[in-house]
Amino acid sequence: MSYKDLSGLLKVLSSPTRLEILDILSCEELCAYDLLAYFKFSQPTLSHHMKSLVDNHLVNTLKLGNKRMYALNHKQLEQVTEALGLINTSSKPCICQNIGKGDCSS
């Protein structure tokens, strides 16, 4: 995952509401109605958050009749976790291996 892609996903994940939505969806697939009942905010507000999560492939959606079901995209979140893990390690492959070392002792 590129730094640009990771940065975009982290911006989406920076919303406490979106993080809470992801946490709720980690347990089970839910429809918008169930999410609205939990959050007590307007349908347009939920739609705004869900569009961001779906557009960034953090949540999958399935239309069943007049209902839209939402499910956590575990694979995408695992990729985010893996990318962040690479930043927190000096194991290969690491970008730090590409940095030239100068003589800083003078």
Side-chain angles (χ1 to χ4, degrees):
M1 177 177 294
S2 73
Y3 293 119
K4 183 177 180 179
D5 292 341
L6 180 59
S7 174
L9 289 169
L10 292 175
K11 287 177 186 174
V12 173
L13 294 171
S14 69
S15 163
T17 299
R18 291 186 194 131
L19 286 174
E20 194 169 5
I21 290 168
L22 293 175
D23 192 18
I24 291 167
L25 292 176
S26 71
C27 299
E28 63 182 315
E29 184 177 86
L30 292 171
C31 70
Y33 178 81
D34 293 331
L35 290 168
L36 279 172
Y38 175 82
F39 283 103
K40 308 278 193 247
F41 49 57
S42 70
Q43 187 276 329
T45 299
L46 178 64
S47 291
H48 167 75
H49 288 298
M50 297 313 295
K51 179 175 178 12
S52 183
L53 292 169
V54 169
D55 287 353
N56 287 280
H57 309 289
L58 293 163
V59 169
N60 296 320
T61 182
L62 174 68
K63 190 161 182 165
L64 295 174
N66 63 348
K67 289 186 180 182
R68 186 167 300 273
M69 301 300 292
Y70 296 101
L72 187 67
N73 184 347
H74 293 277
K75 184 176 179 180
Q76 180 76 325
L77 281 171
E78 287 168 4
Q79 290 176 350
V80 170
T81 302
E82 183 179 310
L84 287 172
L86 288 174
I87 291 173
N88 193 31
T89 184
S90 61
S91 65
K92 294 181 182 182
C94 180
I95 196 170
C96 64
Q97 305 299 320
N98 299 329
I99 303 298
K101 304 285 194 274
D103 184 13
C104 296
S105 60
S106 27

